[in-house]
Amino acid sequence: MSKVPSNYSQQPGHLPAASSVQLKVSRPGWLEIIVGLVVLAIVGFVGVSQLKRLGLDPVVYGLILTSWTGVATLTAFAVAVRLRIRSLNAFGVRPVSKRWLLIAIGVGLVAFVLKGLAVLGWIQITGNTNNVQGVYAEGGSSGVLSLVLATFFIGIVTPLGEELLFRGVITNALLGYGPFIGVVGSTVIFALGHGINIVFPAAVVAGLATADIFRRSGSVWPSVVVHVVFNLPTIPVMVAAGMG
């Protein structure tokens, strides 16, 4: 656990610390980060590797995968919460004003535009146009129901799970080392978790936007809203473009 400055409780988005004893359990730390990422790796990556062996129909497989990230991150978050603190409030799950939610919508729209520019820049630099998320589009390409389900999983469930884990646990813990480490450090972890591919620059944009709004608001809900706005068009756009 890092040393926290004496004025820490006065800064926006930071948890109050009434005493040194309370401070030890007032926010997640490295234990929650490591365990959360290990659980994510086990449920996420190992689980997907086992799914590949089942020989499922491409649409069914795609739909399962659209939900899998949300399931894996929610599971990892639940385990992290149960380790020591067992208080959702300490993980940023706390009420926030409507003003912050409106700001989050605007930030999400700006981030969505920047995502497109970042991806174009990545393609220009690397020449890599391989769409690693095409399998998600396959899950949403079998009619209205599959489109709605895939959009719900990618646009709602995934942002909720990823924000609870990456912002509520990881950004939250790293903010104990200052805003730069908290925002940039958690963004790097988040982006690397998506792999070094065409999704990487988009993940960097999403990570910076959601981590900073979490830091400023002190609540995970604005970052969830940013992520929802950022992700929601993904499946419809890919299906319309015939990427599945």
Side-chain angles (χ1 to χ4, degrees):
M1 184 66 65
S2 64
K3 183 178 180 182
V4 181
S6 59
N7 66 340
Y8 181 72
S9 62
Q10 307 299 319
Q11 298 172 8
H14 288 161
L15 301 174
S19 69
S20 59
V21 174
Q22 291 177 333
L23 186 60
K24 292 180 181 179
V25 295
S26 66
R27 70 185 309 142
W30 281 106
L31 177 63
E32 285 78 13
I33 290 177
I34 294 170
V35 171
L37 291 176
V38 169
V39 172
L40 175 61
I42 293 172
V43 178
F45 300 112
V46 176
V48 169
S49 68
Q50 295 303 310
L51 279 173
K52 290 180 179 179
R53 300 182 178 184
L54 298 179
L56 298 171
D57 176 84
V59 173
V60 174
Y61 179 63
L63 276 176
I64 293 175
L65 286 192
T66 59
S67 68
W68 204 260
T69 299
V71 170
T73 48
L74 285 170
T75 302
F77 173 74
V79 173
V81 169
R82 296 295 297 173
L83 286 174
R84 298 181 303 162
I85 304 173
R86 302 187 179 186
S87 166
L88 290 176
N89 185 275
F91 290 86
V93 184
R94 59 172 70 92
V96 70
S97 68
K98 292 180 180 179
R99 173 177 171 271
W100 272 115
L101 298 179
L102 291 173
I103 290 173
I105 292 172
V107 171
L109 292 172
V110 172
F112 181 78
V113 173
L114 292 177
K115 172 177 71 171
L117 297 175
V119 170
L120 288 175
W122 174 271
I123 293 172
Q124 289 297 316
I125 293 170
T126 67
N128 181 6
T129 59
N130 181 38
N131 180 21
V132 297
Q133 294 184 331
V135 65
Y136 296 156
E138 286 187 357
S141 63
S142 184
V144 175
L145 180 59
S146 68
L147 179 62
V148 170
L149 287 175
T151 300
F152 173 74
F153 291 139
I154 290 294
I156 304 295
V157 179
T158 294
L160 177 61
E162 288 189 337
E163 292 311 307
L164 287 172
L165 177 63
F166 285 97
R167 256 52 70 182
V169 176
I170 297 174
T171 301
N172 199 353
L174 294 181
L175 280 172
Y177 298 91
F180 181 83
I181 297 297
V183 173
V184 176
S186 64
T187 295
V188 170
I189 294 171
F190 178 70
L192 289 175
H194 288 75
I196 305 299
N197 50 53
I198 199 170
V199 182
F200 182 82
V204 170
V205 172
L208 290 172
T210 53
D212 195 52
I213 203 167
F214 173 81
R215 177 183 71 86
R216 294 175 183 276
S217 68
S219 171
V220 76
W221 298 121
S223 62
V224 170
V225 171
V226 171
H227 206 148
V228 167
V229 173
F230 191 87
N231 271 24
L232 204 56
T234 300
I235 301 296
V237 168
M238 287 198 297
V239 170
M243 295 181 182

